[in-house]
Amino acid sequence: MVGARGSLLRVLGVGFGIAVAVGGGVGVGILRTPGAIAEALPHPGLILLVWVLGGAYALLQANNLSELAAAHPRSGGPYVFARRAFGPYGGFVVGWADWLSLVVATAYLPLALGEFVARLVPAWLGFEPLIAFLALATLLGVQMRGVKAGSRVQEVVALLKALALLAFVALCFVAAPAAREVAAPAAALVPQRPVTVLAFAGALQLVIGAYGGWYAAAFFGEEQTDPGRAVPRALLSSVLVMLVLYVSVNLAYLRILPMGEFMASKLPAASAMQRVFGGASDQVVTALSVLLMIGIVNALVMIAPRALYALACDGLFVRQAVSVNTGGTPVGATIVTVAVAVTLAATGTFERLFALTAFLMIVVDASNNVGLLLLRVREPQMARPYRAIGAPATTIVSLCVALALLAGFTASDPRTAAIGVAFIACSYPLFRFASRGAAARTTPSTA
C-alpha cells in the first residue's frame, strides 16, 4: 500500500538520531583512510591534529545546522533550508549536490565492503562490484519493511560499533609494550619529509569525509517526535561521539604500528590486531569490519532517499518519488537512490568516490552557513527552538573555513573538484526540466 505526501511516520527520537549518525558515519572512514592520511602526514602530532580539526569543523557546522533543522522540522536535510533561504533554484542546487554526495557514499561504501569480503575470501577478488550490488539489494529489502525496522537495525549496530571500537582501543593499549619494542626500529626508518599545505589539505579532505554522517538526524525532521529538541541534541552529540572515537582509534594505531606499516596499510585495524595477537586476528577484524559496513550502508539507504523525497514533494523530481508505504519508507525515492548507487559502484573506485563526497559535502556546508545568515536577517521573528551558539560570528567562521577548504581541495585534487563542479552544473538543466514537468502536472487540461 502506498501513501501520499505527508505519510511519513513521527516515531523517531534522539536515540535514533545519534544511532543513524554514529552507525552510519563511523566505519569506513576510520577503518580505511587512516593509512592514506598517515602517508600524507607521516608525523604522529600532525595525524592527531588533522583528526581533531576535522571534528572541530564538523562541530561548527553542526551548531549552525541545528538552528536550521529545529526551525524547519521537515524531512529532507539541507535542501529544505536552502529552498527557504535561496528560493526554488537555489534549493534545488543544494538538494542536488547533497543527494549526489549521499548517493556517491552509498556507492563507495559497498565497494569498501567488497574489499573487506575479498580479504576474507581471496577467491572473491575481482567480484567487489557484485558484492556491493548484493549488499544494496539486501538492505533495500530491509528498508521496504518500514522506518521502524530500519531504525532498530541502526540502534543495534551503532551500539555494537562503539563498543567494538572502544574494546579495540583498550586491547591495543593493554598489549602495546610488546608491540612497541618491535615497532620502534621500523618506525625510525620512515623519512621525516616536510609536509606541504596541499598534503595537509588533502588529508583534511579525507578526514572530513570520514566524519560524514554526523548530519543524519537533520534528514528526519518530520519523523522526529520532538524535532525542536531532538534534532539539535542528536547532531551535536553525534559529532562529539565521533571525535572521541576517531582520536582514540588513531592513538591506538600510533601506539601499535610502525609508521611505515601504518602508512602502507589499507586496513590499519587489522594490521594492528595482527601485530598484537597474531594468528587469525586479521580475519577477525576484517569480519567485524564487514558487519560494521553493513550498518553504514543501511543508514545511507535511509538518509539519501529523504533528500530526493523532499525534492519530489516540491515538484522537482518525478511524482512517483513521493510515494510512502505504510511502514513510513519513501519507496520511490529509495529505489531510485539504490539504482543510481549500484551504477556508480560498478564504475568508480573507492578513493575517487570518497574524495568526491567530501568536496560535495563542503559545498552543502557552505550553503547552510549562508542560508542561516540570510534567514536571520530576512526573518528575525522566525521561531527558533535552538539558536546556534555564538552566531553570527561562529557562522561566519564556519563559512570562511568551508570556503578555504574548497580552495585547498581544489588545489590538491583539481580533477575531483572538476568532477564535483560538473555534477553541480548539471543541476540547471535538470531544474528546468523538473520545473516544466511540475508545471505540466499542475496546469489544468484544456482538452
Side-chain angles (χ1 to χ4, degrees), residues 295-310:
I296 301 170
V297 179
N298 181 69
L300 282 165
V301 175
M302 293 186 74
I303 297 166
R306 264 67 184 181
L308 201 59
Y309 168 81

Side-chain angles (χ1 to χ4, degrees), residues 37-368:
I37 291 166
E39 185 176 7
L41 308 174
H43 305 272
L46 289 178
I47 291 170
L48 295 176
L49 175 62
V50 79
W51 284 98
V52 171
L53 288 178
Y57 172 79
L59 196 59
L60 277 174
Q61 298 300 339
N63 182 47
N64 295 318
L65 187 59
S66 292
E67 177 172 321
L68 292 170
H72 305 86
R74 177 183 163 193
S75 292
Y79 160 74
V80 175
F81 323 131
R83 183 181 175 90
R84 181 71 172 260
F86 309 125
Y89 177 60
F92 184 84
V93 171
V94 171
W96 172 246
D98 189 42
W99 180 73
L100 280 174
S101 71
L102 291 167
V103 79
V104 166
T106 310
Y108 73 66
L109 288 166
L111 283 176
L113 171 62
E115 290 182 5
F116 296 153
V117 170
R119 184 179 178 128
L120 276 177
V121 186
W124 292 356
L125 282 170
F127 294 95
E128 289 86 348
L130 176 60
I131 297 169
F133 169 77
L134 293 174
L136 285 170
T138 301
L139 293 173
L140 174 62
V142 172
Q143 294 306 319
M144 291 301 102
R145 296 184 60 189
V147 68
K148 285 188 176 180
S151 67
R152 288 193 197 101
V153 170
Q154 281 312 116
E155 289 165 1
V156 172
V157 168
L159 177 60
L160 293 176
K161 183 178 298 187
L163 292 175
L165 286 175
L166 291 174
F168 163 74
V169 171
L171 288 171
C172 285
F173 275 86
V174 168
R180 270 204 319 274
E181 294 175 5
V182 177
L189 298 177
V190 178
Q192 298 298 303
R193 66 176 186 271
V195 176
T196 66
V197 173
L198 290 182
F200 194 89
L204 188 57
Q205 182 177 10
L206 292 175
V207 169
I208 288 175
Y211 275 96
W214 63 262
Y215 47 79
F219 285 83
F220 300 87
E222 64 192 274
E223 297 161 84
Q224 295 277 351
T225 54
D226 184 8
R229 291 164 57 87
V231 175
R233 288 180 179 181
L235 290 171
L236 296 169
S237 298
S238 299
V239 175
L240 292 174
V241 170
M242 294 171 79
L243 174 59
V244 170
L245 288 175
Y246 285 178
V247 172
S248 298
V249 171
N250 273 278
L251 283 170
Y253 291 153
L254 291 167
R255 179 91 167 171
I256 292 295
L257 295 176
M259 186 61 73
E261 184 177 346
F262 189 10
M263 293 164 59
S265 178
K266 285 192 172 183
L267 189 55
S271 300
M273 293 293 277
Q274 177 67 27
R275 269 194 170 273
V276 174
F277 298 103
S281 59
D282 183 274
Q283 288 77 16
V284 171
V285 173
T286 305
L288 178 61
S289 302
V290 170
L291 294 176
L292 298 183
M293 289 299 303
I294 292 171
I296 301 170
V297 179
N298 181 69
L300 282 165
V301 175
M302 293 186 74
I303 297 166
R306 264 67 184 181
L308 201 59
Y309 168 81
L311 287 164
C313 288
D314 291 337
L316 297 177
F317 196 67
V318 295
R319 59 187 174 186
Q320 288 81 3
V322 304
S323 62
V324 179
N325 67 14
T326 53
T329 297
V331 290
T334 302
I335 291 171
V336 170
T337 297
V338 171
V340 174
V342 167
T343 303
L344 289 173
T347 59
T349 62
F350 178 90
E351 289 79 6
R352 181 65 60 187
L353 291 173
F354 195 85
L356 178 59
T357 300
F359 180 87
L360 293 172
M361 283 170 54
I362 300 301
V363 171
V364 174
D365 288 343
S367 76
N368 288 335

